[in-house]
Amino acid sequence: MWRAIIALIVKELLAVLKDPRSRLVLVVPPLVQLIVFGYAATFDLNRVPIAVYNQDGSAASRELVARFLGAHVFRGLASLKSARRITPLIDAREVGLVLAIDRHFTGDLLTHRPAPVQLIVDGRDSNTALIILGYANSIITGFSLDWQRAHGGGAVPAVLDVRTRYNPQLSSRWFIVPGIVALLTQVVTLLVVGLSVARERELGTFDQLLVTPFRQVEILLGKGIPGLLIGTIEASATILVAVLWFHVPVRGSLVALYLGILLFVAAVIGIGLMISSIAVTQQQALLGAFLFMVPSIVLSGFATPIANMPPIIQALTWLNPMRHILVIVRGVFLQGATTGAFLPEYAVMAALAGSSLMAAGWLFRRRIY
Amino acid sequence: MSSESEPPPALRLENVSHTFTAGGRALRALEDISTRSARGAVTGVIGPDGAGKTTLLRLVAGLLRLQRGRLEVFGVDVARDPDGVRRRIGYMPQRFGLYEDLTVRENLDLYGKLQNVAPAERDARDRELLHMTGLGPFMNRLAGRLSGGMKQKLGLACTLVRVPMLLLLDEPTVGVDPVSRRELWEILAHLVHAERLTVILSTAYLDEAERCQRVLLLHQGRLVGAADPASFTAAAYGRSFHVSVSGLGKRQLQERIARVPGVIDATIQGAFVRVVTESGVQLTSVALPPKSGPLHILSVPPRFEDSFVTLLKSIRASSGSRPPVQPRGGAERAMRSAGATTARATRASGQDAVIIAEELTRRFGNFVAVDGVSFTVRRGEIFGLLGANGAGKSTTFRMLCGLLPASAGTLRVAGFDLRRAAASARGRIGYMAQKFSLYGDLSVLENLRFFASAYRLEGPRRRARISWAIEEFELAPRAQDVSRELPLGFKQRLGLACALMHEPDILFLDEPTSGIDPLARREFWWRINALAESGVTVLVTTHFMEEAEYCDRLAILAQGRVLARGDPESIKDRARSAARPEPTLEDAFIALLQAVPQPSAA
Amino acid sequence: MSASLERLAGLLRKEALQIMRDPSALAIAFLLPAMLLVLFGYGVTLDPHNVPLAVVVERPDALTESFVAQLRGTSYFTPESFLSIQAADRALHSRQVSGIVWLRENFTRRVLSSGGAPIGVFVNGVDANTARLIEGYLQQVWAKWLVARGRSLGSARGLPIEVEPRVRFNPAVSSRDYLVPGLIALVMTLTGALLTSLVIAREWERGTLEALMATRATIQEILLAKLVPNFVLGMGGMLATLVLAVTLFGVPFRGSLLVLTGASALFLLAALGMGLLISSVARNQFVAGQIAVIATFLPAFILSGFVFDIGSMPWGIRLLTHIVAARYFVAILQSEFLAGNLWSVIAPNAVALCVMAVVFLGAARLRARKRLD
């Protein structure tokens, strides 16, 4: 039995590697996605242009402005002389923030009245607006505390002492890049497996296979194992790039990571084979893969947290293998987790793999004609 | 163009060559073609797949850029004024160029508008076309749901919504049943006669050549002959014979005749062996076994194919490749190794049925694709399933192979129902699909190795069989080549090699020789004959009537039912009449089909 | 050959019938957009709320309680009490909570004596964006607590500076309001580029284009007949998304329908141009689909400013975004929905869209020939 399965696997790998189109699927989308996601998909802000409208002009206000301009997230674009220019600058998206300091700023500070400072941001990109406000707030708080200390106003009763675990620089890239491992593994495995049966059906070789003494289990294994190999290799290549190129640390156990990847790939193969056994043509298979892939990525926590979703949708994400592998990949990369931490994820993915493979086998039998 | 002097011919080609580049390799599709076609005639562009027929038609239609040479349609230069050419032509591409998700009426409307037929004229024209093609009752059916013959007629009607000066048809008769083929020819004859239409059509069916006024014979991109079909066949007069010997099987006889020097072609035709010789060759020197009767030789009129085969063989001989029609040592060895004597013994006594189908039925929803089909195939027999596209032969075939469950009825292949039997039961059958479905990305050797493993061959036997395949099918020169890029004839040999890898008892062949040239087809049937002689049971589907002649027995299917069953001669007998004393199998087929009521618009 | 309305009408009717009868065209034109809309309208939001937060109070008293109450008082957090920092840390590690607030044993004593008592905060930084937002929320809570405490002591002993944030256009800072308008660009990319390239590739595959080319139809007519139905579908998709966004998801629309329609038309023309261009390169549906997804859909998703801020991308990628038509369209969309007719945004982006439409359509027209080679 194994000799025959090995022959199937060798055939499958040769077919994938020799066909220029399949090679394209293996190389181009991963490359494009690595670059695009690795570099472009970031929530981190960098050199956001700001404008300052300082009506006060005293040393204190200049000190505050200097703190803003000195922060790496901000970049001074304009110093305004009139309030009228504020709105056009924001509206035309020329600046992300306008810092407006009141005429009585220093006076209020010295007389212990709350000194008003206006932060005007652009809410069209709400996330960026919130992050900008966060940065601005912490600069102002820092200034306030220092001012109080220096001017004998007495210390504030308590201060926040914030520490960030696992990702001290709060780099989005550390969040996104490990996610790409899961993303690419899913895309490539799904396309390779999902299209393989459809391709054989189109070419007529599938009939040829079915009249040989292969059993269905053997054909399923012969289709699945190459997917497992390719998916795992793809994942490993991406892990290498993540570590060597993007310098994301791997702190946890590789055993835990690879156990997760194997189960994940198995689940994706099951889904791919299901698509494959329903689709008649490659085009249908491609569309099917696309229809599965879009929600599975959006609802995986790849870029947007699952915790923010409505409860029903959160429950739905349990059926999404990508959700679970993302937990494992990020856990191992950043949190230094080991096998024991992921028992629920392993169990769910194993169940998903088992049921999808079984469903694929059943559909296979139904569709063999 | 209506000058007082001699009007320009419908088509003139001067030194036309065309090269395709694919994957860095240049492929010569046409080489230095010069010819002209007269107005008001049917010109057939004839040749096997890959001969350059489609390229030629596309050049005429201005769909490909003319790379070299000069091409004129009614005196209009294609390179200079492609739109002017398009106004004069109607073009039907392969597969008829129909929108399958549009209805018959919508397709006609579309092409009517595209050809600027005035709305006032359109109705009358549509009625005329529908009358001519008999599509009237199917106006609201989607084109994709039409049978092959109806699609072909719709495709034709779409190109005729405005009467062109030149009608170009690319393989209009592929996948179409003989009745529809014959009807198409009648329509064309009518058009040429009534509307002075000039027609150029391409075909791989050699028997259609005889219906053309002029034939352009293409082979590997070269024009190897251009004349009227009669002058082609005239050269073969007095050299074609029907030969038979009582007490000797037709296949053994064929083999013996083919070995006679000076025999160009020996094919089986019903109970006879059809022989084409070089002029002046006597057939009396055929070596006959002691107990057989005397040789009956009957001189018959030559066919177009006889002259084509003669021509091809002389081309091959001059280019130094081996003469392929002779039976070769390899086939004989295979025959002996499989124990030909015992096989023949069982065949003689043997009525043991290897394939049994009883009341086999297959429904797809409401549609009954196969309706109570019954037949049996005995060991060592070549059995043919004949029928047009949609007649149910592919469905029957797939049920026999276990690829499709039967809705009702029983079937046994070597004692098993292949769909339910253990996988190992499939090790007894060999299967070669239409289009020779091999893994195109794998090399020849990789394909062989894969199928050897698929059939559970191991160790020395595996090695022996792979080298047998390479030697027997002469695959060595291109063993490392990717099989997708092989010529069709080569692919077909590889397909057969893979199907025979495990020495199966039963061989299933689905349209095994469509598109390949006549020499390769002959070679193929030599091998199949040798296999049958050695006791292998062969089931073949085909719509080539000529191929059906090779079969011991046939079942002709139409609309899912068996119309007729029996050996080719007895089927021909059904169409024998005073008016047609020597009907061909195609005549018989058509006669049978016409007796069946045509399907109505449902 | 001269143009003919008759031929064009025939071709248009054919295209319309085909789209209506082709399930995969319907899937791309209607199912995918609906799915995206539901996903982004209901499923995806960047704004954390009810964040599970571990609260460790080593010595509870009235003062610590006032801080915890402040935490509870917002919708941002769901505080959960833990007895020890170790237990809280374990919960953080296993992602049960996203952050920890730790008031040590000596907290009250330090507040009352020297002041400056540290409030320990640990945030799970794996998701950097969420971590930053949580930090921001905590700062707000803390600042409010300071003010409240100052007021209760009868003196204004909050922070000396009072921050007045003013979020223009989206005071609720709802991420749905900014994500949903951008969807229109995605939906139009699907019908404009993906569907168009697939439909033409299918005609190549089935040999029907060959038959068309041999008729009197001109290449302009054939192209135009491909453009118009997909244009209608795309505009329909835009309108449907607009209506659903406003009625179902309550996204404001402050611009003018006219401007939106105009900008959409320009973008759609550019997308259709890309679709035509792809199909002139790829003559089968598989390759066409692949190229369309990689060259149009993915950039419209990632490089358009739809989710990720273009300004913060590295310069190489930023440069790349300039050839992504969706970038200009997303900018207009977000302004039209949330801000209104801001000509300072509309004008430059519309010009860019114009240029792209001309370039892509022009290139497609140049490449298109009534020939097979």
Side-chain angles (χ1 to χ4, degrees):
Chain A
M1 168 173 174
W2 283 106
R3 200 183 284 268
I5 293 178
I6 287 167
L8 270 174
I9 294 170
V10 169
K11 177 221 73 177
E12 198 70 21
L13 289 176
L14 281 175
V16 168
L17 296 178
K18 281 188 162 188
D19 176 18
R21 274 201 228 167
S22 310
R23 273 205 306 261
L24 201 80
V25 171
L26 286 186
V27 177
V28 177
L31 211 66
V32 172
Q33 284 166 38
L34 251 179
I35 293 169
V36 166
F37 285 110
Y39 283 108
T42 173
F43 290 115
D44 304 347
L45 299 184
N46 227 326
R47 299 175 51 76
V48 177
I50 63 170
V52 178
Y53 176 45
N54 188 355
Q55 294 167 275
D56 184 47
S58 69
S61 65
R62 283 205 305 275
E63 156 74 10
L64 180 62
V65 170
R67 285 194 183 206
F68 267 88
L69 299 183
H72 73 279
V73 273
F74 297 127
R75 164 169 67 96
L77 188 89
S79 179
L80 308 183
K81 295 278 169 281
S82 134
R84 264 177 305 161
R85 283 196 59 204
I86 296 178
T87 330
L89 275 177
I90 291 276
D91 290 358
R93 293 196 149 175
E94 283 178 40
V95 296
L97 165 77
V98 176
L99 172 69
I101 300 175
D102 194 79
R103 189 146 37 93
H104 310 292
F105 180 72
T106 316
D108 286 341
L109 271 181
L110 292 170
T111 54
H112 299 289
R113 273 194 302 247
V117 166
Q118 273 196 351
L119 298 173
I120 302 128
V121 293
D122 177 5
R124 277 169 287 183
D125 181 345
S126 65
N127 193 59
T128 305
L130 280 177
I131 304 279
I132 288 176
L133 280 181
Y135 278 120
N137 262 321
S138 56
I139 290 174
I140 293 173
T141 307
F143 175 85
S144 299
L145 296 176
D146 290 348
W147 170 273
Q148 270 184 331
R149 205 168 299 128
H151 293 77
V156 275
V159 290
L160 285 178
D161 172 20
V162 181
R163 310 225 174 130
T164 315
R165 287 290 174 84
Y166 318 124
N167 184 0
Q169 306 295 319
L170 280 184
S171 152
S172 269
R173 196 165 289 162
W174 282 24
F175 176 64
I176 297 285
V177 169
I180 304 177
V181 175
L183 183 78
L184 288 188
T185 309
Q186 163 153 319
V187 171
V188 169
T189 312
L190 203 61
L191 285 180
V192 166
V193 176
L195 294 179
S196 72
V197 179
R199 184 178 55 215
E200 291 216 27
R201 239 192 218 120
E202 257 179 29
L203 296 176
T205 48
F206 202 58
D207 285 352
Q208 192 88 50
L209 262 193
L210 293 174
V211 296
T212 59
F214 284 120
R215 274 181 283 264
Q216 262 177 41
V217 188
E218 294 171 333
I219 294 178
L220 273 174
L221 283 174
K223 289 276 166 203
I225 293 173
L228 203 66
L229 281 173
I230 290 171
T232 315
I233 291 170
E234 192 81 32
S236 307
T238 324
I239 290 170
L240 279 179
V241 173
V243 173
L244 298 179
W245 183 259
F246 290 107
H247 303 293
V248 184
V250 180
R251 297 178 174 137
S253 126
L254 281 177
V255 176
L257 182 60
Y258 272 88
L259 184 59
I261 287 175
L262 285 177
L263 286 170
F264 172 64
V265 173
V268 174
I269 287 171
I271 293 161
L273 285 173
M274 275 165 74
I275 294 172
S276 214
S277 44
I278 297 168
V280 182
T281 61
Q282 289 196 69
Q283 193 243 333
Q284 284 181 8
L286 195 70
L287 194 65
F290 198 64
L291 278 174
F292 168 76
M293 219 132 51
V294 170
S296 112
I297 292 169
V298 172
L299 299 180
S300 67
F302 172 71
T304 56
I306 289 174
N308 299 353
M309 295 170 189
I312 296 179
I313 292 183
Q314 284 198 39
L316 204 68
T317 61
W318 277 89
L319 294 174
N320 182 4
M322 193 161 155
R323 175 214 160 116
H324 306 289
I325 190 65
L326 278 177
V327 167
I328 294 174
V329 169
R330 286 175 181 151
V332 168
F333 263 93
L334 302 177
Q335 289 185 281
T338 51
T339 318
F342 303 123
L343 293 180
E345 277 78 19
Y346 292 144
V348 174
M349 284 201 296
L352 286 173
S355 48
S356 64
L357 284 169
M358 247 146 54
W362 183 79
L363 284 170
F364 225 58
R365 229 191 324 272
R366 300 271 322 224
R367 274 303 306 248
I368 292 186
Y369 49 75
Chain B
M1 51 169 224
S2 55
S3 59
E4 290 307 309
S5 62
E6 192 182 323
L11 180 69
R12 195 171 81 190
L13 287 91
E14 269 171 34
N15 308 97
V16 170
S17 296
H18 200 86
T19 310
F20 290 108
T21 41
R25 263 198 277 184
L27 202 88
R28 260 288 151 91
L30 287 177
E31 209 156 337
D32 201 23
I33 311 274
S34 298
T35 185
R36 50 177 61 199
S37 291
R39 296 169 174 232
V42 178
T43 303
V45 180
I46 294 183
D49 280 13
K53 305 189 294 288
T54 299
T55 309
L56 183 68
L57 288 187
R58 284 178 172 172
L59 280 172
V60 175
L63 292 171
L64 291 175
R65 194 173 61 84
L66 191 63
Q67 293 171 338
R68 288 183 60 188
R70 196 175 159 78
L71 204 163
E72 284 176 7
V73 177
F74 294 102
V76 179
D77 191 326
V78 171
R80 241 182 257 142
D81 185 9
D83 284 339
V85 168
R86 273 181 209 125
R87 271 198 296 272
R88 290 171 171 80
I89 60 163
Y91 171 72
M92 180 169 89
Q94 271 174 37
R95 293 175 291 154
F96 321 128
L98 296 170
Y99 288 94
E100 306 220 323
D101 36 15
L102 261 51
T103 64
V104 171
R105 183 189 298 279
E106 287 160 355
N107 268 295
L108 274 175
D109 279 354
L110 171 67
Y111 282 99
K113 284 179 185 158
L114 288 181
Q115 299 290 24
N116 292 101
V117 182
E121 297 165 32
R122 210 179 292 149
D123 270 354
R125 185 66 188 159
D126 281 1
R127 260 198 305 280
E128 197 182 330
L129 287 170
L130 291 174
H131 175 73
M132 186 175 82
T133 53
L135 285 168
F138 308 99
M139 282 305 275
N140 295 316
R141 191 178 282 195
L142 291 184
R145 302 245 171 91
L146 296 174
S147 73
M150 288 196 274
K151 277 186 196 160
Q152 171 221 44
K153 282 180 205 139
L154 178 57
L156 185 66
C158 288
T159 55
L160 290 173
V161 284
R162 166 182 287 263
V163 184
M165 295 169 75
L166 173 65
L167 183 62
L168 298 167
L169 306 171
D170 194 2
E171 306 225 344
T173 50
V174 163
V176 167
D177 64 76
V179 179
S180 302
R181 270 171 68 188
R182 192 162 283 194
E183 283 168 0
L184 176 85
W185 280 103
E186 281 160 11
I187 294 173
L188 289 182
H190 167 77
L191 288 170
V192 169
H193 178 74
E195 313 201 9
R196 284 283 295 163
L197 201 64
T198 310
V199 180
I200 297 177
L201 64 78
S202 69
T203 178
Y205 295 97
L206 297 177
D207 55 342
E208 294 186 339
E210 287 162 48
R211 298 172 182 270
C212 304
Q213 273 89 57
R214 187 180 152 82
V215 165
L216 303 178
L217 212 52
L218 283 182
H219 185 71
Q220 295 177 348
R222 292 170 193 275
L223 188 64
V224 294
D228 63 302
S231 64
F232 271 108
T233 40
Y237 258 108
R239 287 159 46 191
S240 305
F241 307 96
H242 269 174
V243 182
S244 63
V245 171
S246 59
L248 186 66
K250 56 187 180 184
R251 286 199 275 275
Q252 283 105 324
L253 178 61
Q254 179 201 20
E255 198 198 314
R256 283 161 203 272
I257 292 175
R259 267 186 255 156
V260 174
V263 167
I264 292 171
D265 191 19
T267 54
I268 289 171
Q269 202 169 43
F272 307 101
V273 175
R274 186 186 175 92
V275 184
V276 179
T277 64
E278 288 168 11
S279 49
V281 171
Q282 292 298 309
L283 281 174
T284 41
S285 61
V286 176
L288 293 175
K291 277 184 195 164
S292 57
L295 209 57
H296 294 286
I297 303 174
L298 186 71
S299 184
V300 290
R303 295 176 307 174
F304 181 79
E305 185 168 346
D306 296 342
S307 44
F308 188 35
V309 168
T310 312
L311 201 61
L312 281 186
K313 285 188 96 175
S314 67
I315 292 170
R316 285 230 184 148
S318 63
S319 68
S321 38
R322 67 181 171 78
V325 180
Q326 309 299 335
R328 284 166 315 99
E332 279 180 84
R333 262 207 309 284
M335 198 167 100
R336 247 177 262 122
S337 70
T341 42
T342 53
R344 223 172 281 135
T346 30
R347 202 168 106 78
S349 71
Q351 300 305 320
D352 54 334
V354 178
I355 301 173
I356 303 170
E358 269 172 31
E359 291 299 312
L360 204 55
T361 300
R362 173 70 209 189
R363 284 181 286 269
F364 295 102
N366 287 328
F367 173 66
V368 185
V370 173
D371 190 3
V373 165
S374 307
F375 58 85
T376 55
V377 186
R378 294 185 287 267
R379 182 182 304 283
E381 198 170 39
I382 302 179
F383 189 88
L385 281 177
L386 233 69
N389 286 2
K393 64 182 188 318
S394 290
T395 310
T396 308
F397 186 82
R398 292 170 66 74
M399 284 192 284
L400 290 172
C401 297
L403 290 170
L404 189 71
S407 307
T410 52
L411 84 189
R412 284 276 173 279
V413 173
F416 299 103
D417 175 349
L418 285 180
R419 200 164 163 80
R420 299 210 189 84
S424 56
R426 290 197 291 272
R428 296 186 56 187
I429 66 165
Y431 170 93
M432 189 170 116
Q434 217 170 345
K435 296 185 287 177
F436 329 120
S437 327
L438 297 158
Y439 291 98
D441 297 305
L442 270 57
S443 72
V444 170
L445 201 59
E446 283 161 350
N447 263 305
L448 290 173
R449 285 198 190 123
F450 172 69
F451 281 100
S453 304
Y455 287 112
R456 310 295 201 260
L457 302 185
E458 288 175 20
R461 174 143 187 258
R462 179 185 150 95
R463 282 193 294 279
R465 288 307 290 176
I466 292 177
S467 47
W468 165 82
I470 292 174
E471 190 200 341
E472 168 71 21
F473 292 91
E474 293 171 63
L475 304 173
R478 304 193 69 164
Q480 301 300 334
D481 288 12
V482 172
S483 29
R484 190 209 314 278
E485 287 162 12
L486 298 173
L488 199 66
F490 206 100
K491 272 187 197 162
Q492 188 235 24
R493 293 213 297 274
L494 176 59
L496 189 58
C498 291
L500 293 175
M501 188 56 81
H502 55 303
E503 300 172 87
D505 302 335
I506 304 164
L507 190 56
F508 287 98
L509 303 169
D510 193 8
E511 305 275 351
T513 63
S514 57
I516 66 174
D517 71 57
L519 294 188
R521 185 179 304 149
R522 279 162 174 70
E523 193 180 326
F524 176 82
W525 279 102
W526 271 111
R527 293 180 207 282
I528 298 302
N529 283 339
L531 286 167
E533 281 301 303
S534 70
V536 175
T537 309
V538 181
L539 185 102
V540 54
T541 71
T542 182
H543 59 264
F544 274 103
M545 292 303 131
E546 180 212 341
E547 264 184 3
E549 300 270 12
Y550 287 95
C551 299
D552 293 307
R553 288 191 312 129
L554 299 169
I556 294 184
L557 299 183
Q559 293 166 43
R561 294 166 184 273
V562 178
L563 270 188
R565 231 183 328 244
D567 59 80
E569 286 309 299
S570 74
I571 288 177
K572 282 183 204 166
D573 283 345
R574 299 196 185 193
R576 219 179 287 279
S577 63
R580 208 159 34 196
E582 277 300 322
T584 62
L585 201 50
E586 181 162 330
D587 292 332
F589 190 5
I590 291 172
L592 282 164
L593 276 180
Q594 278 168 341
V596 179
Q598 284 302 301
S600 59
Chain C
M1 281 177 219
S2 59
S4 145
L5 280 178
E6 177 86 16
R7 292 195 297 255
L8 189 59
L11 284 169
L12 283 175
R13 190 173 129 79
K14 176 214 90 176
E15 296 290 338
L17 287 171
Q18 277 193 300
I19 288 172
M20 284 189 293
R21 288 177 192 164
D22 175 14
S24 58
L26 293 177
I28 293 171
F30 299 108
L31 188 59
L32 265 172
M35 196 169 83
L36 285 171
L37 203 62
V38 169
L39 283 177
F40 280 86
Y42 284 117
V44 173
T45 156
L46 290 164
D47 323 327
H49 50 93
N50 298 328
V51 175
L53 203 61
V55 176
V56 183
V57 181
E58 294 189 343
R59 177 173 296 186
D61 56 32
L63 190 75
T64 62
E65 186 44 43
S66 72
F67 189 81
V68 175
Q70 198 78 50
L71 277 176
R72 267 203 193 94
T74 72
S75 66
Y76 302 139
F77 301 113
T78 13
E80 213 179 310
S81 286
F82 280 75
L83 289 178
S84 71
I85 186 68
Q86 288 80 9
D89 213 34
R90 277 195 298 277
L92 185 72
H93 192 80
S94 61
R95 301 172 312 279
Q96 281 169 273
V97 297
S98 301
I100 303 173
V101 171
W102 182 21
L103 303 180
R104 290 185 185 76
E105 189 199 20
N106 60 1
F107 178 74
T108 305
R109 189 154 36 92
R110 276 197 65 179
V111 168
L112 297 176
S113 61
S114 59
I119 301 169
V121 172
F122 301 91
V123 187
N124 184 335
V126 170
D127 179 353
N129 190 53
T130 306
R132 240 181 243 123
L133 294 175
I134 292 175
E135 226 184 286
Y137 293 150
L138 275 171
Q139 266 190 5
Q140 286 179 34
V141 168
W142 169 69
K144 278 194 191 135
W145 178 75
L146 285 183
V147 173
R149 184 170 156 70
R151 204 171 290 131
S152 73
L153 293 177
S155 72
R157 291 299 298 273
L159 284 173
I161 298 178
E162 189 180 41
V163 177
E164 291 174 21
R166 274 177 47 204
V167 183
R168 271 184 72 76
F169 312 127
N170 187 0
V173 239
S174 143
S175 68
R176 183 195 276 176
D177 286 2
Y178 113 84
L179 286 176
V180 170
L183 269 184
I184 292 180
L186 273 190
V187 168
M188 289 184 132
T189 304
L190 284 177
T191 44
L194 183 64
L195 186 58
T196 307
S197 61
L198 284 180
V199 164
I200 301 180
R202 190 181 56 186
E203 290 222 28
W204 279 116
E205 278 176 7
R206 294 194 183 164
T208 45
L209 213 53
E210 192 180 337
L212 274 193
M213 286 178 174
T215 66
R216 300 180 172 211
T218 63
I219 194 72
Q220 287 93 333
E221 287 161 3
I222 295 175
L223 290 182
L224 208 55
K226 292 284 171 202
L227 289 183
V228 173
N230 288 323
F231 186 84
V232 172
L233 271 185
M235 291 310 261
M238 182 272 289
L239 273 180
T241 317
L242 171 70
V243 169
L244 286 177
V246 173
T247 57
L248 202 59
F249 302 125
V251 179
F253 181 73
R254 305 196 172 105
S256 82
L257 208 53
L258 200 68
V259 172
L260 180 67
T261 310
S264 304
L266 283 179
F267 173 70
L268 195 50
L269 287 177
L272 287 165
M274 283 190 280
L276 290 179
L277 214 51
I278 291 168
S279 60
S280 72
V281 183
R283 288 187 180 179
N284 74 61
Q285 299 188 67
F286 179 79
V287 176
Q290 288 267 317
I291 298 179
V293 168
I294 288 179
T296 67
F297 186 72
L298 222 65
F301 215 116
I302 310 290
L303 300 177
S304 64
F306 165 55
V307 186
F308 302 104
D309 183 41
I310 293 176
S312 302
M313 294 174 189
W315 68 270
I317 305 270
R318 228 163 41 225
L319 216 60
L320 196 68
T321 62
H322 284 285
I323 56 164
V324 177
R327 170 207 166 122
Y328 306 105
F329 188 43
V330 166
I332 295 181
L333 282 173
Q334 289 175 351
S335 287
E336 277 296 296
F337 272 82
L338 296 174
N341 285 339
L342 294 177
W343 290 102
S344 55
V345 175
I346 295 164
N349 286 303
V351 168
L353 282 179
C354 243
V355 171
M356 303 216 84
V358 168
V359 167
F360 283 123
L361 281 177
R365 173 64 191 87
L366 283 180
R367 280 199 58 102
R369 286 205 180 79
K370 269 186 87 176
R371 276 212 314 264
L372 302 172
D373 53 355

